[in-house]
Amino acid sequence: MNLRFLETFLWVARLNSFSATADRLHTTQAAVSNRIAALERELGIRLFDRDLRSVRLTPEGRAALSRAEEIVRLAQEFQGAVSSRDALRGRLAVGAIDSVVHTWLPRLIRRVHQTYPCIELDLTVDTSLTLSGHFHRNEIDLAILMGPIIAPQVETMPLGSLSCSWYAGPGMDLPEGRLGLESLAAWPIFAFSRGSKPHQDVLRHFACAGVKAKAVSNFNSIATMMILAQDGLGVTLLPDAAAAGAVTAGRLRRLDVSPPCPPIEVHAAYSNQPRNVIAAAVAVMAQEEAGTVA
């Protein structure tokens, strides 16, 4: 029995679409249809009911699904355990938040390339909310984002936290020493994307202190927030590891603000039905690399 046909069966069952499966497997819709037809002929059953609008598992297809998942999982684990690094091929779609891109993600990518030199990475950088949507639509294999994904057949593991502080350009007229939030309120505030936990934390900080910020602008790019702060256009909240280089170079100044902001809690999530062995291995690597961030 062709393992690729079983994998195709699992993706069609998961996505309920031949065209979406073709996109996910980087092949054509005709190839997907031919694989399913060949598998149905070999098994002597009909796996899917098809019409112009949808694809649905038949009762026989639902009965076959768990067995197919187990076979594919065991095959992946066997391949991962005994294959040479150069023999493992394919694509791994990874989604990551901007905060880890500017901290430990480059080290993770270097390690993945060294460990699996023939695995191609597809990287998407976006907000946690958007990445969660991509993950639930099976568009990415491994999500690195704020907060866990709680769902059936999903493995989630903590990757630690990223401490955050307020930063400003060295030329901005802010006093030395400890500052209260009222000292920041007169300046434009550059925060993370609207609706994200760090953005909510910023609004909650000002509200709890009884301080109204002049203006809170929202960005999904740490690089943009850093540039605007360096140019003296406002103050920004950044992961300390991401801002360290700019502080050392004298382009940014770390502000001692009370109360401090909570850290960003980062998690990795991947599907365990079938368990993606490479995604699981990279999640462990991510946990190890994140642990090296002070």
Side-chain angles (χ1 to χ4, degrees):
M1 182 171 294
N2 192 310
L3 184 63
R4 181 175 295 180
F5 292 177
L6 284 179
E7 292 174 337
T8 303
F9 165 55
L10 295 183
W11 279 110
V12 174
R14 187 179 299 173
L15 299 176
N16 294 314
S17 167
F18 279 33
S19 60
T21 298
D23 291 340
R24 186 62 179 74
L25 298 180
H26 305 284
T27 187
T28 65
Q29 187 171 339
V32 170
S33 181
N34 290 336
R35 292 175 192 176
I36 296 300
L39 186 59
E40 288 177 330
R41 286 195 302 270
E42 185 174 358
L43 297 175
I45 60 173
R46 190 171 182 82
L47 296 169
F48 296 100
D49 285 326
R50 311 165 178 78
D51 58 35
L52 293 177
R53 296 185 178 179
S54 63
V55 177
R56 299 179 304 278
L57 283 166
T58 64
E60 294 84 0
R62 285 193 294 273
L65 185 60
S66 61
R67 295 294 183 89
E69 288 173 339
E70 181 70 9
I71 291 170
V72 171
R73 180 185 65 80
L74 290 173
Q76 288 178 342
E77 291 181 352
F78 172 76
Q79 185 181 24
V82 305
S83 296
S84 69
R85 296 187 306 170
D86 293 344
L88 290 172
R89 299 179 181 275
R91 295 189 183 213
L92 181 69
V94 179
I97 56 174
D98 199 38
S99 296
V100 302
V101 173
H102 289 269
T103 51
W104 48 261
L105 189 69
R107 294 199 306 272
L108 175 64
I109 292 176
R110 182 182 299 109
R111 186 170 171 184
V112 171
H113 285 160
Q114 291 171 345
T115 306
Y116 304 112
C118 295
I119 294 293
E120 299 177 1
L121 286 179
D122 288 342
L123 178 64
T124 299
V125 179
D126 216 313
T127 64
S128 292
L129 182 62
T130 301
L131 293 176
S132 180
H134 287 316
F135 182 81
H136 286 297
R137 292 191 298 273
N138 297 290
E139 295 168 354
I140 55 178
D141 303 304
L142 174 64
I144 300 173
L145 70 177
M146 287 182 284
I149 293 180
I150 308 299
Q153 303 180 345
V154 173
E155 295 284 347
T156 300
M157 57 195 301
L159 303 183
S161 60
L162 297 172
S163 63
C164 295
S165 302
W166 288 99
Y167 291 87
M172 291 182 64
D173 186 19
L174 284 163
E176 298 291 337
R178 176 155 295 188
L179 303 175
L181 289 175
E182 64 277 2
S183 300
L184 308 184
W187 296 91
I189 305 295
F190 305 140
F192 291 85
S193 299
R194 184 178 300 278
S196 68
K197 186 177 182 303
H199 176 259
Q200 294 171 350
D201 287 340
V202 168
L203 298 181
R204 191 179 300 113
H205 266 340
F206 280 96
C208 290
V211 176
K212 181 174 177 58
K214 177 180 179 180
V216 180
S217 299
N218 311 288
F219 301 87
N220 67 354
S221 167
I222 286 178
T224 301
M225 293 158 66
M226 291 176 65
I227 291 172
L228 295 176
Q230 290 171 24
D231 287 348
L233 299 180
V235 296
T236 186
L237 184 69
L238 297 170
D240 294 322
V247 171
T248 300
R251 298 190 302 270
L252 279 178
R253 169 187 161 201
R254 182 177 180 273
L255 305 176
D256 182 10
V257 178
S258 180
C261 287
I264 295 174
E265 301 294 337
V266 184
H267 290 75
Y270 59 90
S271 174
N272 62 7
Q273 290 294 333
R275 188 171 186 263
N276 188 318
V277 174
I278 301 298
V282 173
V284 172
M285 292 180 192
Q287 193 173 52
E288 294 169 352
E289 293 300 333
T292 66
V293 177

